[in-house]
Amino acid sequence: CSPRIGDGCSSAANCSVNGDRLCDTTQPSGSCIIFDCQPDQCPDNTVCVRFNPAQPRLSVVACMRPCASDGDCRDNYRCIDSMTFEDGLYAEVIDVTSQRRFCAADR
């Protein structure tokens, strides 16, 4: 069983042997993600999220684990919608065809 987007990690090797997924070690216990996604282009069962869209130079996009409730997320993560502010940072799901919530670190 291969790691999924949103799984814990300590290095990119924990996320993919093909090198197509990275480990975001800035998140608690790491998080497997795909950087630089395009709307509706993430792998199945993931959503493309833009962080800090108001400042394009500082904006980051990544495929994240989608969710319907906190129970869909791992420990220390919760299910948020695209209108939630976390530590002053705004994030939005930019997919058109996907659900509008994703797992994010509970800070």
Side-chain angles (χ1 to χ4, degrees):
C1 184
S2 61
R4 299 182 313 153
I5 297 295
D7 283 353
C9 56
S10 59
S11 74
N14 299 134
C15 299
S16 171
V17 294
N18 298 326
D20 58 344
R21 298 174 185 198
L22 300 174
C23 179
D24 183 356
T25 57
T26 65
Q27 301 303 309
S29 300
S31 184
C32 293
I33 62 172
I34 298 174
F35 277 114
D36 294 329
C37 57
Q38 298 295 317
D40 300 312
Q41 297 298 311
C42 285
D44 289 344
N45 300 316
T46 64
V47 294
C48 189
V49 177
R50 182 180 312 276
F51 295 90
N52 208 15
Q55 298 179 347
R57 285 188 16 214
L58 303 175
S59 179
V60 173
V61 289
C63 297
M64 305 289 289
R65 181 178 289 178
C67 55
S69 69
D70 290 345
D72 295 332
C73 302
R74 62 190 173 105
D75 289 345
N76 300 317
Y77 285 73
R78 63 186 177 106
C79 190
I80 64 171
D81 64 29
S82 60
M83 299 302 291
T84 300
F85 286 83
E86 294 292 325
D87 297 336
L89 180 68
Y90 179 69
E92 64 182 356
V93 174
I94 59 174
D95 286 344
V96 175
T97 60
S98 298
Q99 64 187 70
R100 308 300 298 176
R101 298 176 62 138
F102 60 97
C103 296
D106 189 14
R107 298 185 187 249

